Amino acid sequence: MPNLYLTHKCRRGCPFCFARKVLKQSGGDVEELLTIDEVRSLLDHYAPLNPPVLGLLGGEPFLYPYLEELFALFKERGIFAKIFTSATDPLPEALAAIPLEEAAHRMNFVVNVGTRDTYTEEKYLNLDRFFRKFGPISSLSFTIFDLEADASYLFDLIDNFGLSRNIRVGIALPIYSGGNSYIPKECYREAGEYFVRVAKAAAERQISLSMDCGFTACMFSTEQLGCLERLGCQMSFLCGAAIDIGPKLQAWNCFPLFQLGRVDALSVESMEALDRLLMLRNEELLGPRVGIFEECRSCDLMRRGLCQGGCRSFHSTR
């Protein structure tokens, strides 16, 4: 599923944010937006889109000023929107005007949440209002950043608002040229232990976890992997980076590498060809995938294609 990167604007301020410093260093203009005409050109170029699903992200999609026009275009083209948001800004009128029953056929939400102490009262009130309307078509995303953080608050959100009973868990990753906080690879075993603790606590509430990008198999012992399997965790140690397409129809693979390997999204005839082009560009710039640990070079799981050795962003840091 490709993603439309709508805007650089965001007021959440997550310390692990991929965009925290990279946009400034790359000369990115925070006012720069993906225009409706650009979206229309993209849809025309890749018609028919199969499957007809696009992610919407940023920045913060709720701060994109042309949501009403974008939703109208998606409705016209039969595109389903998967919206990635922190939901800490006021609900845009373009969303507030859509009844839940209609929204359920046109969109769903992945809400990136932190622990309760990371919210001001105003931001938490906005989050509460959002879930009261769109909770039934929302799921949670959580990033491992603080290995002491109490994630039980997420379980309460799920119970209180009827959210999806699966939490997508990512791991804070470095960005090219630095500027954000992330889990150093030396702490990956500790991060694995944290993930297992959260998975056990979640299972007690009939909630499961799924892994986003960046995890490695060696973060976990054989016993821990067996435990996660029994708990119903959806485990993956492969790179699932989607294609992101932003202003001026520039495309890249995954925001940690935003400054590297951007290409013209309309330079090829299919999304499959665009994905191959981006993979080749990243190999030219970073070399072949070798994993983030020395042990990756001799790892049987990596040789067999069961683990890709963590995020390539570690090879791009300076």
Side-chain angles (χ1 to χ4, degrees), residues 12 14 16 85-87 110-114 119 139-143:
R12 179 73 173 107
C14 300
F16 53 81
T85 176
S86 71
V110 178
V111 184
N112 183 34
V113 293
Y119 294 92
S139 61
L140 298 184
S141 174
F142 179 70
T143 301

Side-chain angles (χ1 to χ4, degrees), residues 220-268:
F220 307 96
S221 67
T222 302
E223 292 75 14
Q224 288 173 329
L225 289 173
C227 175
L228 293 175
E229 181 74 25
R230 290 194 302 275
L231 295 175
C233 292
Q234 299 171 31
M235 293 181 284
S236 175
F237 308 111
L238 305 178
C239 179
I243 298 170
D244 294 342
I245 301 171
K248 297 181 173 62
L249 293 181
Q250 293 290 295
W252 59 87
N253 258 143
C254 187
F255 207 91
L257 303 178
F258 171 80
Q259 285 180 274
L260 297 174
R262 280 177 285 175
V263 302
D264 179 358
L266 304 187
S267 62
V268 293

Side-chain angles (χ1 to χ4, degrees), residues 9-20:
K9 291 183 178 180
C10 182
R11 294 193 283 251
R12 179 73 173 107
C14 300
F16 53 81
C17 177
F18 294 156
R20 197 170 181 84

Side-chain angles (χ1 to χ4, degrees), residues 19-239:
R20 197 170 181 84
K21 183 179 177 184
V22 66
L23 291 171
K24 181 179 179 181
Q25 290 195 340
S26 66
D29 180 0
V30 76
E31 300 298 327
E32 192 173 45
L33 304 168
L34 183 65
T35 70
I36 297 299
D37 284 343
E38 287 170 339
V39 176
R40 187 176 288 108
S41 295
L42 185 77
L43 295 179
D44 289 343
H45 184 80
Y46 287 109
L49 194 63
N50 185 28
V53 180
L54 284 172
L56 301 181
L57 43 78
E60 171 51 64
F62 285 11
L63 299 179
Y64 182 65
Y66 308 120
L67 275 181
E68 184 174 0
E69 295 92 328
L70 184 66
F71 290 152
L73 178 60
F74 275 26
K75 188 174 184 179
E76 172 192 323
R77 302 292 182 98
I79 304 294
F80 188 89
K82 192 175 188 70
I83 304 171
F84 296 83
T85 176
S86 71
T88 54
D89 289 281
L91 193 65
E93 179 57 36
L95 281 171
I98 303 176
L100 174 63
E101 295 76 12
E102 179 183 348
H105 297 288
R106 297 173 53 189
M107 63 190 68
N108 60 28
F109 300 88
V110 178
V111 184
N112 183 34
V113 293
T115 51
R116 178 64 179 88
D117 61 325
T118 65
Y119 294 92
T120 64
E121 288 305 313
E122 178 184 6
K123 288 180 178 179
Y124 183 75
L125 183 59
N126 288 330
L127 183 71
D128 180 272
R129 288 169 175 164
F130 170 81
F131 281 140
R132 288 184 186 280
K133 173 158 187 169
F134 289 121
I137 57 172
S138 298
S139 61
L140 298 184
S141 174
F142 179 70
T143 301
I144 296 176
F145 160 65
D146 176 2
L147 300 182
E148 301 298 325
D150 181 3
S152 61
Y153 157 71
L154 280 65
F155 314 151
D156 294 336
L157 286 178
I158 289 172
D159 285 337
N160 292 340
F161 296 105
L163 313 180
S164 167
R165 303 196 76 78
N166 177 267
I167 302 172
R168 171 176 133 162
V169 181
I171 187 166
L173 299 167
I175 55 173
Y176 175 78
S177 78
N180 71 327
S181 299
Y182 61 92
I183 300 293
K185 57 187 178 181
E186 294 79 13
C187 296
Y188 265 38
R189 288 304 299 267
E190 294 175 57
E193 292 170 359
Y194 177 82
F195 185 92
V196 172
R197 290 199 303 272
V198 174
K200 289 179 177 178
E204 292 178 359
R205 304 275 290 267
Q206 291 76 54
I207 296 167
S208 63
L209 305 185
S210 58
M211 291 181 182
D212 200 1
C213 303
F215 289 87
T216 64
C218 61
M219 292 173 64
F220 307 96
S221 67
T222 302
E223 292 75 14
Q224 288 173 329
L225 289 173
C227 175
L228 293 175
E229 181 74 25
R230 290 194 302 275
L231 295 175
C233 292
Q234 299 171 31
M235 293 181 284
S236 175
F237 308 111
L238 305 178
C239 179

